[in-house]
Amino acid sequence: LRMKIPKQLKIGGHIVKIITHLELDGKNGETLWKSNEIKICKTIPQSQKESTLIHEIFHMLNTTLGDNTDHHALIDSLSEQIYQVLSDNKLLK
């Protein structure tokens, strides 16, 4: 099963560009709020790209709520759990 990784998403009223053709120096992904970008490392396995997209969406949502607190451990946990639910229940195509 695979998740479609789009070229852009609308998050919190903003169009966010999804960039998937870069190396990220040991990181799977990153969110750049000021430029409305989510970057996903090109060399990680497809399943990690998919869960990383979910993870970075959570970061973007957290920021749109006006919360500048770093909830990285919670976001890690939630993104992996949601990815597992989507995958195990065949909600990915």
Side-chain angles (χ1 to χ4, degrees):
L1 298 173
R2 292 185 63 165
M3 174 191 296
K4 177 184 176 189
I5 297 184
K7 296 192 182 300
Q8 66 181 29
L9 289 171
K10 187 174 182 184
I11 302 173
H14 304 281
I15 301 300
V16 178
K17 184 176 179 182
I18 311 299
I19 302 166
T20 59
H21 61 274
L22 304 170
E23 286 281 348
L24 295 178
D25 296 326
K27 295 189 286 187
N28 284 358
E30 66 182 359
T31 298
L32 301 172
W33 174 252
K34 290 182 181 181
S35 59
N36 285 345
E37 295 177 330
I38 289 175
K39 296 181 180 180
I40 300 173
C41 183
K42 71 177 184 176
T43 59
I44 59 177
Q46 181 65 27
S47 63
Q48 289 185 29
K49 289 176 185 174
E50 295 165 0
S51 65
T52 298
L53 176 60
I54 293 169
H55 176 101
E56 299 306 331
I57 289 169
F58 271 118
H59 276 300
M60 189 67 74
L61 289 170
N62 189 62
T63 304
T64 63
L65 293 172
D67 187 350
N68 293 325
T69 308
D70 183 11
H71 298 287
H72 208 262
L74 176 61
I75 289 172
D76 272 345
S77 177
L78 288 173
S79 59
E80 287 300 321
Q81 291 175 60
I82 287 175
Y83 181 72
Q84 175 268 314
V85 168
L86 294 173
S87 181
D88 286 357
N89 289 284
K90 299 181 180 13
L91 299 174
L92 306 174
K93 296 186 179 210

